[in-house]
Amino acid sequence: MEQHRTRPAQYGPRRSRAPLPAQGRGGAAAARPPVGRGGRPVARRVDPARPAPGAGSPVARVVRALRGMPNPRLTGLGSGLFCAAVMTLFGFLDGLLFGASLTVYGVLFVPVSLLTALWVRRGDLLTAPVVVPIAFAVGLVPVAESGDGPAGRLMGLVTALATEAGWLYGGTLVAGSAVIVRRIRLVRRRAAARNRPPA
């Protein structure tokens, strides 16, 4: 005898399942391209990726170039030795290639001052504006005109420092500005780390 399965009355009538949307049926239906007239598939329009605003500006290129450069962390003594050694080397090269031109020496001093201020470690930031003028005077020895004996060399060095004071102050100002900017960023970063809620 055939038995019919009955459903208790408290459960109510059976509900029919609603058909799933196209997205829930599977990847084939969702990935199906749209069809135009005549049953031909229509190619989807893809907008070309737009570059980020300012990505091609000169400032952005300079920033990317600076980030790609080596980034050592020099101590106060190390930054002084670095700056003095580089300026002495530039002084000898200036004497060999440009006839001991004080202008060329002053122009080369500015980027060296900036690199010294950028490469000194955070704990020795204030040493950069101090060692930069000393390195300028040390590297100026092979470039300055020298007379007879130590007194003549000293007078030539003093004269070169007096005539090229603009480059000396300019390089020192660049180094001091870079140090101030790095110091402000360091203080803000520490303040943000203190105000950050614990995880």
Side-chain angles (χ1 to χ4, degrees), residues 66 69 82-83 86-87 90 103-119 132 167 170-172 174-175 178:
L66 290 177
M69 294 180 63
F82 163 76
C83 192
V86 173
M87 291 313 301
F90 282 164
T103 303
V104 173
Y105 180 82
V107 170
L108 294 175
F109 172 67
V110 176
V112 174
S113 302
L114 179 60
L115 289 179
T116 303
L118 293 178
W119 287 353
V132 162
W167 291 111
T172 307
V174 168

Side-chain angles (χ1 to χ4, degrees), residues 19-69:
L20 294 175
Q23 296 178 353
R25 294 175 188 171
R32 185 179 303 168
V35 180
R37 295 181 179 179
R40 296 179 181 178
V42 179
R44 295 181 179 177
R45 183 178 178 181
V46 179
D47 295 334
R50 297 181 180 178
S57 63
V59 178
R61 288 196 293 268
V62 171
V63 171
R64 286 196 298 268
L66 290 177
R67 287 180 178 177
M69 294 180 63

Side-chain angles (χ1 to χ4, degrees), residues 1 5 19 22 34 39 55 71 79 81 85 100 134 137 139 144 150 153 165 168 171 175 178 180 183 191:
M1 184 175 180
R5 300 178 65 181
N71 192 19
S79 62
L81 293 177
I134 299 174
R153 286 184 173 274
L168 175 61
I180 291 174
R183 183 66 180 176

Side-chain angles (χ1 to χ4, degrees), residues 171-194:
T172 307
L173 180 62
V174 168
S177 302
V179 167
I180 291 174
V181 171
R182 289 188 59 192
R183 183 66 180 176
I184 292 174
R185 292 183 61 186
L186 179 61
V187 170
R188 289 182 177 178
R189 193 175 302 171
R190 289 178 178 175
R194 286 195 301 266

